[in-house]
Amino acid sequence: MDTAHHTRPAPVTLGKSFKYWLKLGFISFGGPAGQIAIMHHELVDKRRWISEQRYLHALNYCMLLPGPEATQLAIYISWLMHGIRGGVIAGVLFFLPSFLLLSGLAGLYLAYGTLPLVQGVFYGIRPAVVAIVLFAAWRIGSRALRNELLWGMAALAFVGIFVFHVAFPWIVLAAGLLGALGGKLAPHKFRTGGGHGTRHAQAGPAIIDDDTPPPAHARFSWRRFALTLAAFVLIWLGAMSTLLGMPALQAMGAFFTKAAFLTIGGAYAVLPYVYQGGVEHFQWLTGPQMMDGLALGETTPGPLIMIVTWIGYLGGVSGHVVDTPVAAGLAGAAVATFFTFLPSFLFILVGGPLVEATRGELAFTAPLTGITAAVVGVILNLAVFFAWHAFWPHATADAPFGGGFDGLPVIVAVAAFIALSRYKADITAVIGVCALLGLAYSFFM
């Protein structure tokens, strides 16, 4: 009998933990589902740092929060093991490689993106993005829209943003209020389901096992709550004060802070909001540039919300926030990334002990169920917007169907959607094949 799996592993040092989170930052492909699966295999099955039940407990909590759930799960587990230092290390290392890679790609994109071969690659990628976003709406909808009431809320959200151009924050607020009301009037319609497809027999006892009491730093106290919250407020104010005299960067900081609090439902949920702000309001980048950034974000490690690094880089350059284009891009990318992820640390380090106590209470989960339903409609609107840019590439707001219809991207988008939904193809592989098709087509253009 192998006794190694029946004894509790030795406690993990902060240094060993640091090496693991650094490695994870470079291999965390596959979006949130893939990242959550990687952590589950490594931390529950292989290393036994945390038990199955405690892992799912942390995951369920992070699924209820705004922000990238995989990043917050990493922060949560490392915070549970090593306190605030551990949480900060895991969170920063989770997105740092992606930040560096996307910043570099954004610089190359601006320098060489107009070359015919590069244009051909992105010509093939853009219809793939249409399929990816549509697939996200279908995947989230199949899980979240469990009855006709939630379907109706998704439809209302789509009509609100597509027909009446209602701003995303107002849709979130209305959906939350309807969810709270629905939780009282029709509670059976707003109860959340359990499980995330990762439950199975555990290999052996873990360092943080089912019966391991929470460490002192994970127990709720009003004093710790107030002090940590005050520290985050001071950090945010200090960061904003360093941007005084740079109105473009200040606007970025304020915008991405708001975006971070509106990402209930995952990264795809916040894409419509950052599109409205980044493309329509501030005009930091164009719609096709946003699609290109989303495709690159899907094929690089790190959370998909790292699209904000791309937006910040292009916005910094287009806004001439400093004289040198590369420095302007890096400044914009750093501001967008910092203010997007700061609330994720806030939610775990400040709210973790408090929100854990309320998990499973309908009064808390019903508004989030309503918001998730509305998010499906909003994501569908984003897919329509991307399809418009891909299928009518020369259209404008004044002439929405002008410039001619391009049928080839429709064929590519349909094929990509079938590959994703029916054959469960990997997103990175789909983007790669579509990029090669676009590259081949560029030789005949």
Side-chain angles (χ1 to χ4, degrees):
M1 180 183 294
D2 184 4
T3 59
H5 283 78
H6 293 83
T7 57
R8 196 180 306 275
V12 178
T13 64
L14 187 61
K16 186 176 180 181
S17 176
F18 179 95
K19 291 178 182 177
Y20 171 74
W21 298 117
L22 179 62
K23 170 191 167 186
L24 183 65
F26 283 98
I27 66 169
S28 57
F29 291 91
Q35 292 153 3
I36 289 167
I38 289 171
M39 283 190 283
H40 182 271
H41 173 70
E42 283 280 336
L43 302 183
V44 176
D45 294 339
K46 187 176 177 182
R47 301 172 185 258
R48 290 185 288 137
W49 287 4
I50 188 168
S51 72
E52 176 83 10
Q53 292 299 321
R54 295 293 284 270
Y55 181 89
L56 290 175
H57 180 78
L59 176 59
N60 287 336
Y61 167 35
C62 294
M63 293 289 286
L64 293 177
L65 293 171
E69 61 265 34
T71 307
Q72 290 169 342
L73 180 60
I75 296 171
Y76 186 103
I77 294 172
S78 192
W79 162 74
L80 204 57
M81 296 181 69
H82 295 111
I84 291 177
R85 286 189 304 167
V88 171
I89 286 171
V92 171
L93 293 180
F94 198 89
F95 67 77
L96 184 60
S98 181
F99 169 81
L100 297 174
L101 185 55
L102 276 177
S103 294
L105 288 172
L108 293 173
Y109 176 86
L110 291 177
Y112 303 107
T114 57
L115 294 177
L117 291 179
V118 177
Q119 285 288 304
V121 169
F122 284 108
Y123 176 79
I125 283 176
R126 285 167 190 159
V129 170
V130 176
I132 290 166
V133 177
L134 187 62
F135 177 63
W138 175 80
R139 189 178 65 240
I140 297 171
S142 64
R143 188 172 62 237
L145 307 181
R146 298 182 301 276
N147 54 67
E148 68 285 351
L149 190 57
L150 297 178
W151 274 100
M153 291 181 67
L156 284 174
F158 177 81
V159 171
I161 197 168
F162 182 78
V163 178
F164 299 104
H165 306 289
V166 178
F168 184 72
W170 292 112
I171 291 177
V172 170
L173 178 61
L177 292 174
L178 286 174
L181 182 63
K184 294 181 180 298
L185 300 179
H188 60 288
K189 302 282 189 180
F190 287 85
R191 295 194 185 279
T192 57
H196 297 272
T198 55
R199 185 182 303 273
H200 56 77
Q202 190 173 319
I207 297 171
I208 302 175
D209 216 343
D210 296 349
D211 57 353
T212 304
H217 64 262
R219 298 175 192 146
F220 178 77
S221 76
W222 283 110
R223 181 178 179 276
R224 183 184 295 113
F225 177 88
L227 288 175
T228 314
L229 178 61
F232 272 95
V233 172
L234 289 174
I235 291 171
W236 186 88
L237 290 174
M240 288 296 286
S241 68
T242 63
L243 304 179
L244 289 175
M246 295 180 282
L249 291 179
Q250 274 195 315
M252 274 192 187
F255 173 76
F256 285 107
T257 297
K258 287 189 290 185
F261 283 91
L262 292 170
T263 54
I264 296 172
Y268 282 104
V270 81
L271 286 178
Y273 181 59
V274 296
Y275 155 72
Q276 283 186 334
V279 176
E280 293 183 344
H281 182 70
F282 293 106
Q283 297 181 344
W284 291 324
L285 73 171
T286 65
Q289 286 176 332
M290 175 128 175
M291 296 174 71
D292 297 342
L294 179 60
L296 291 174
E298 286 279 17
T299 53
T300 53
L304 182 59
I305 196 63
M306 292 304 295
I307 182 71
V308 301
T309 300
W310 176 270
I311 296 169
Y313 193 103
L314 269 63
V317 174
S318 64
H320 306 287
V321 297
V322 295
D323 293 335
T324 307
V326 173
L330 289 173
V335 167
T337 305
F338 175 83
F339 284 99
T340 296
F341 280 92
L342 182 63
S344 288
F345 292 93
L346 168 73
F347 296 140
I348 301 299
L349 303 181
V350 174
L354 178 64
V355 179
E356 275 195 321
T358 62
R359 190 176 72 84
E361 292 184 10
L362 188 61
F364 182 74
T365 59
L368 299 178
T369 301
I371 291 170
T372 302
V375 158
V376 175
V378 174
I379 296 174
L380 182 61
N381 169 76
L382 186 69
V384 171
F385 165 77
F386 283 163
W388 174 60
H389 271 291
F391 304 159
W392 285 271
H394 303 293
T396 63
D398 296 329
F401 300 105
F405 173 76
D406 192 349
L408 182 58
V410 177
I411 298 173
V412 174
V414 171
F417 182 81
I418 292 173
L420 291 168
S421 59
R422 182 170 181 179
Y423 296 104
K424 313 300 181 187
D426 180 72
I427 287 178
T428 302
V430 169
I431 291 176
V433 170
C434 291
L436 290 175
L437 289 174
L439 180 63
Y441 181 73
S442 68
F443 289 104
F444 303 98
M445 291 175 65

